[in-house]
Amino acid sequence: MRETAYWTWFIIAGIVILVIAGLHMVVMHLPMFGVFNPESGAVTDWGNVAFRSQNQFLAFTYIILLGAVLFHGFYGLRTIVFELGPKKSFQDGFTVILWIVGLVLFGIGTYAAIAAKALETAL
Amino acid sequence: MANKQFDNHLGIVGWLGGGRWGVERYLYILHRLTGLGLLLFFLMHIFASSVRMYGPESWGVAMAILKNPVFKLGEFCVFVIFAFHALNGIRLIFIELGLAVGRAEEPIYPYKSSLNNQRPLMVVAMVLVAILIIAGGYNTFFGSH
C-alpha cells in the first residue's frame, strides 16, 4: 500500500474509532441509555452481555471498531518506529509483521463476536 | 538511539525535549505515548472481552477479577488517555486540513509563527479534555453502573 493511502486510511480509521468507541462508552458507562442493557444490574452482568452479543448492530459495529483500532494503532506504532531511522529492509519486514499480527488479532476478535452470538443462540 | 547518518537525528532522546517549539511539541510526545498506551490496552481488551464466547461461567470468573479496585483505577486512566488522544487527534486533523491555522502570509521579516494562530484551538481542545476527564472520573467512581 502506498504511504498516502496508509495515511488516508489512518485518518479515516481515527474518525471511525471516535464515533464507535464513543458509542461503546455511552453503552457501557451511561446506563440511562438502557436500550442495550435491558436486564437490571451492571452492564457487565451476563444477561446484558448476552443481549449485546445477540444484537446485530452492536456486533457489526464492534467488528468495524476492531479493524479500525488495529489499523490505526499499528500504523501509529509503525510511524513511531520508522522515525527512529531503521533500514529499508527492517521497515519492509516490520510492515509485513504488523499486517500479519493485525490480521490474526482481527480474526480472533471477529471469531469471538460470532462465536458469542452462536453460543447465545444455542443456550 | 542517535543515527550517525543524520547529525540532527536524535531518536528517542529527541522526543523528550520540546525545545523552542512550545506546548504543542509536548502534546505531540503525549499523543504518541497515549497512543501506545491505548494500543496496549486494546490488545488486552480483545482477549478479555473474547472470554464471553466460553459462556456465563467463564465470563463471571473474568469479571470477578476485573472488579478489583486496581482495574477500576486502570479503567479511569484508559478514559483519561482516550479523551486526550481523541481530542488532540481532532486538533491535529484540523491543522492538517489547514483549519484554525490562520491565513497564509508573505514571509516578510520579522516572521510570525503560525503557532500563535493555532494556540486557541489547542486551548479549546485541552479545556474539553479537562471537562471530559472530570465527567468520566465522576461516572467511573460515583456512577451507578
Side-chain angles (χ1 to χ4, degrees), chain A residues 46 49-50 115-116 119-120 123, chain B residues 50-62:
Chain A
W46 179 253
V49 173
L119 177 73
E120 268 312 292
L123 284 174
Chain B
S50 294
V51 170
R52 70 188 187 281
M53 71 179 169
Y54 298 114
E57 290 80 18
S58 302
W59 180 257
V61 171

Side-chain angles (χ1 to χ4, degrees), chain B residues 116-139:
Chain B
N116 293 332
N117 294 324
Q118 299 177 21
R119 194 137 294 160
L121 177 64
M122 184 276 290
V123 172
V124 169
M126 291 306 112
V127 167
L128 289 174
V129 169
I131 292 170
L132 276 179
I133 289 172
I134 292 168
Y138 181 82
N139 184 269

Side-chain angles (χ1 to χ4, degrees), chain A residues 7 18 21 25 29-31 44 46 49 53 66 69 73 77 79-80 83-85 105 111-113 115-116 119, chain B residues 1 3 9 12 15 28 32 36 39 42-43 46-47 50 52-53 55-56 59 63 75 79 82 86 90 96 139 145:
Chain A
W7 184 86
L18 189 70
M25 287 192 183
H29 297 283
L30 297 176
T44 51
W46 179 253
V49 173
S53 296
L66 175 70
V69 170
L77 176 64
T79 302
I80 291 170
E83 278 192 11
L84 296 174
L105 289 171
Y111 174 77
L119 177 73
Chain B
M1 174 162 68
N3 190 331
H9 189 99
I12 292 172
W15 295 350
Y28 157 87
R32 301 200 144 190
L36 291 174
L39 180 61
F42 188 74
L43 295 180
I46 291 175
F47 291 101
S50 294
R52 70 188 187 281
M53 71 179 169
W59 180 257
M63 287 304 103
E75 185 184 7
F79 180 77
F82 175 79
I90 292 172
E96 191 70 35
N139 184 269
H145 61 86

